[in-house]
Amino acid sequence: MIVQELLDIFNEWAPLDYSEDFDNTGLIIGNPNDKCNGILISLDTTEKVLEEAIKKNYNVIVSFHPIIFSDLKKITGETYVERVVSKALRNNISIIALHTRLDNHPEGVNHEICKRIGLVKTETLIPKKGTLKKLVVYVPKNKSGKVLKALHDAGAGNLENYTDCSFLLEGKGQFTGNKKSDPHVGKKLEKVSIEEVQINVVFESYLKGKVQEALFEAHPYETVAYEMYSLLNSYTNVGMGKIGFLKNEINSIDFLKKLKKIFNTGHIRYNNFEGKKLNKIAVLGGSGSFAIEKAKSRGADAFITADLKYHQFFQGDRKMLLVDIGHYESEQYTKNLIFDHLSKKLPNFAVALATTKTNPVNYI
Ligand SMILES: [Zn+2]
């Protein structure tokens, strides 16, 4: 297997379009044509993780956090980022990062947190904008079934719990081909009027290439009459954080104790809370202070996240329990998520979870 094949697996599972604009995901170091002889999965790429990969003779590291996040203007070994980059290059190790592709993924970081806490009826906390596109295409009536099927096969019209969604409108299409034309119906230089169907389908933006390819393949016209555009609608399946319900109400102290156990952390920080028993819980793995107001407006009794600053704890207004479980702790199970997916896709390939501990924070 070459690195590109691995990238293809990730592009299909957690498409590039799920990345936030500020992010840096995909192949960060390496060559897509390099042969891959083993994959090591880690939350962060540290020098120690690289050493583990070298020792195991694995030449690909799949990391949640990208090792290069902001501008890298020199590689002299001064910072840990520079040292990791240089060591990876010297040892021909490829590094792939998934980061916000899995933050926004319907079954990514936050799905995993919900699963571990036991939340039910979960929804996305902050749906991602610009996730949907619409295709409107005009097809001769007798070919509309074929074109529609091709579009559905490419993933168009599959949204949340529904498949094969479309809206069809019958009407008349007209055109006149010039001297160089080769019309599917009628003759060149003659005005043609034909029964057509307008097909409307919505799809996730990352499928654009596939949908367009399927359209051109199935549509009989020399020049395909179509419109494709981005929608302002938010797609509730994709986005940051989740909100859901506990199966049984619980008091805050018991809940905090439970979280401490689930996330195996020696230290949980939480605000002053005078609210009722907890039922509706919002979660956002990693630095999630930007979502405090959103969790509040959606009526969460508690919001579990990480990296909260002193003043942000006041934002709970004593009514919403704010819980900082630690950055690493909140995202740690993402490693297992990547491991499970790759093990399923590559059952006979060397895939392993790094044993190196990468959490840079300790508690006493
Ligand atoms: Zn993170």
Side-chain angles (χ1 to χ4, degrees), residues 57-78:
N57 200 25
Y58 286 5
N59 65 349
V60 177
I61 293 172
V62 177
S63 171
F64 177 64
H65 291 127
I67 182 65
I68 303 175
F69 192 60
S70 42
D71 285 355
L72 189 60
K73 294 192 173 170
K74 54 185 173 55
I75 307 174
T76 60
E78 212 174 294

Side-chain angles (χ1 to χ4, degrees), residues 269 289 292 308-317 322:
R269 298 189 306 144
S289 61
I292 294 175
L308 295 182
K309 290 184 190 162
Y310 176 80
H311 290 285
Q312 289 163 342
F313 280 99
F314 287 108
Q315 281 179 259
D317 289 333
L322 275 169

Side-chain angles (χ1 to χ4, degrees), residues 43-44 64-65 99 103 285-287 307 327-328 330-331:
L43 201 74
D44 309 277
F64 177 64
H65 291 127
H99 205 208
D103 281 322
S287 307
D307 296 348
H327 193 124
Y328 176 89
S330 69
E331 296 174 336

